[in-house]
Structures are given as structure tokens and as C-alpha cells.
Amino acid sequence: MTPPPRDPPGPPGPAAHLSAAGAPAVPDLLGEARRLAPQAVALRRALHRGPEEGLTLPATQRLVLDALDGLGLEIRTGRALSSVTATLTGAGDGPTILLRADMDALPVTEDTGLPFASRAPGLMHACGHDAHMAMLVGAARLLAGRRAAFAGRVVFMFQPGEEGHHGARLMIEEGVLEASGTRAEAAFALHVDPNLPAGAVRLRPGPQMAASDRFRVVVRGRGGHASAPHTACDPVPVACEIVLALQTALTRGVAADDSAVLSVTRLAAGTAAGVIPDTAELAGTLRTLAGPTRLRLHETIARVAGGVAAAHGATAEAVIDPGYPVTVNDPGVTGLVLRAAADALGAGAVDVLPAPQMTAEDFSYVLQAVPGALAFLGACPPDRAPHETPALHSPRMTIDEDVIATGIACEAAVALAFLAGRAPDPDR
Ligand code: NI
């Protein structure tokens, strides 16, 4: 996921470990997760040392396969990507829930000074996907030890290529949703967030994260001498007008209770101070929270760019590169996650996320196909305040490793709650 905006400044001071707050109704899950944590933390550090990028992550895949070895899972690996799909079968027939961790790192040069910092030049697990894999392996271990106590199946989806490579879509095309033999009926994923208090679980029903699309506009005019623009058709002021017109179109065209962000992040034109160029180019991202708004704004970008250019005798061509869809949490599964997480971690750890984030996530593809939810897991390091700690994607991003136990317990709790709730009623 792309880096989220910081929380508004709050009272300074070290992050509270919310997982310790409250009186957990199911204390054994968190206790069991804590017993598994040293192994999970060791795995996380091994993964952190050797980050890999994109869809092909052979060393990462090897570490995950080795860690799952001996748990009695049915394992499949991907064809187009180095994914791992592991299915755990419980004691009886029942539905399937899918739990997902992403696996890829980012082209970031680590600057944390950690003893287990990245040894791969120019690559870093700066988005916490190392922790996601460690938590999901831990949840697999915990649930495998309890397989006699539940009916149904749990599919553990280890997914490369979340950072812009559409890895989840590829895994769906390769059959991850049917990996257990029946289609998954629910799905859940956690994403760590160092800008939330350690151990806090936050999610909301409906849109939780945005769709993010890239766009590029090429303005074509006619070059000439900088001293005589009247003999040319200067694309540079046209491009500048388009940047501003797009902002106006957004504020006038999107309802106040809807959300959209358009940022032009690149402007390019020309080669010399004395020469009016033939073309100018601008590019950026559009983020939206509703499918119809997203499609309408794609048309808006093309129309505004073309219209502004035409007003000056130039032309403009807009190209949209669609990114991930809106991440939409199913209200029913969101409610189940809120209850299960509160039971396992204590009510003080769990809350509804007040507003969506405008970052994007390719778990959205899974949530388009299966009712499910993504939750943020606060991971602010000790002795830091959430609003001042380096965000996801920063070269200085670190997490509180204690939250790995919290994540293991949360994922296991969600799976067990779903499977228990869906088990056949013996009285019927
Ligand atoms: Ni991420």
C-alpha cells in the first residue's frame, strides 16, 4: 500500500500497547500467539534482511514454504508469480475463509540502522509486508494446532506483487479463491500502520481505501522561437492551465460527501530556454472512493485537457492507466472482525476507522469477489508517538515487533469466529 497521510498531531508520548488493554474474553488466543511470536519475529527478520520486489520473489517464497513445512497444509505455488497458497482443513465439512499476506518489498534504500536491515541494495520491506508474512505463518501454525476444534477450511494466501503489480488479481486468475475445493466465502487481511498506536485494530464498513489510477496528458502545439510565440502554438501555458483546470473540475464536479484527490506530480516540456517546444506533458494520480465517480473523472480528465488545449489551438491526449479498485469492506464481515478482534485482544484495542484512507491496496480485487475486510494494525514503535514516526514507504519506517503476536491472534480469531458462526446448527 502507498504511504498513508499522518494522523493529525495528538498528545506526544510513547505509543500505548492497546493489545494489553481491556479484559480479553478469549485470552488463550493472544497467549498462544505470544508463545509463537519468537519464531514469527525470527522469520520476519529473515524476510526483512532479504527483500525482493515485484512478482518473482524466489528467496521469499522459499522462506515461507520452509516456515509452513510440517503443519499439514496442502501447498500450491503460483505459475505466473512466486505465490504460496496453503489450505488447512478442519475436523469437519464447512465453509472456507481466506487470509492474505502480501510478500513484496519496495525500491527504497533502508536507513533504519537495524541489525537485521536489508542486505539487498536499493530494496527494503518499507511497507511491512515482512511482518504480514510472519503473522500469517504464525496464524497458520496456531490454527493448525487447533484443526480438531473447527469445521471448514482456511486458505492462507501469500501474495507477491502488491506494490503496483496486481499480484492479487493474478492469484485470483490462478484459482486462489477456489484453492480449498470450494469457493472462499469470506476473506480477511491485516496491514500494519506505524502511524497508529501499537496493537490498535482499525477498520470500517464500506470503502476503506481508494482506487488509484495514473494518468498522463500530452499537449501538442507547435514549436518556435521564444521571441516570437505568436508564430508558434506554445504548449507550456496550455499544460499549466490544464493543471489548474483539473483541480477546479474536481472541486466543482465531486459532491462534498464524496472524496477524490487528483495530484499532478510531473510536468515536462522543452529542452532549451530560447525554444518553444512542440509538446508538453503532465502526469499524476487520481484517487477515488466510488466506482461511478472514478469513471466520471476519467472522462473529466480527457474532456478538460482536450477542451483547454482546443481553446488555444493545441490538442491534448489523455491516457488513463487504471490501478487498483476501491477497497470495500463488507459490512457483515467487518462486524465479525470487530467482535472477534475485541474478544481476542480486548475491546480497548479495536475501533471503527473514522474515515477511509486515500491510499490503495490490491486486496481490493479479492474483496470484489468475496465478502471480506481489510483492517489496519497499529504498529507504532515503542518510545515514538504515532503521528511523528516515519510512515509506510519511508526508508526509516520501523514497526513494534510486539504487534506480530497481536496480528497472529487477530487473524486466528477472525477465522475461528467465521467458521464457528457458519458451522451447521446441531439443533436444526
Ligand atoms: Ni503495503
Side-chain angles (χ1 to χ4, degrees), residues 331-359:
V333 176
T334 301
L336 179 137
V337 171
L338 288 167
R339 290 190 296 276
D343 284 349
L345 309 174
V350 183
D351 211 344
V352 174
L353 186 72
Q357 286 190 359
M358 298 310 277
T359 53

Side-chain angles (χ1 to χ4, degrees), residues 207 209-213 215 246 249-262 285-303 320 324-326 328 358:
M209 297 172 75
S212 176
D213 305 315
F215 63 87
L246 287 174
L250 213 76
T251 67
R252 303 299 84 189
V254 176
D257 60 354
D258 196 355
S259 292
V261 178
L262 182 150
T285 62
L286 169 72
R287 293 156 192 276
T288 48
L289 292 174
T293 308
R294 182 187 188 194
L295 292 177
R296 192 159 46 76
L297 289 175
H298 289 178
E299 291 166 14
T300 300
I301 291 170
R303 192 186 68 245
I320 310 283
Y324 298 155
V326 184
V328 183
M358 298 310 277

Side-chain angles (χ1 to χ4, degrees), residues 1-2 102 104 127-129 132 162-163 191 360-361 392-393:
M1 116 183 177
T2 42
D102 38 15
D104 54 326
C127 200
H129 299 185
H132 301 169
E162 192 284 323
E163 299 287 354
H191 202 300
E361 176 41 89
L392 295 173
H393 292 209

Side-chain angles (χ1 to χ4, degrees), residues 94-98 155 172 175-186 365-366 368-371 418:
T96 295
I97 181 166
L98 179 149
V155 171
I172 292 170
V176 70
L177 301 181
E178 294 84 24
S180 71
T182 58
R183 190 174 172 84
E185 291 180 35
Y365 289 118
V366 174
Q368 280 185 329
V370 173
F418 175 76

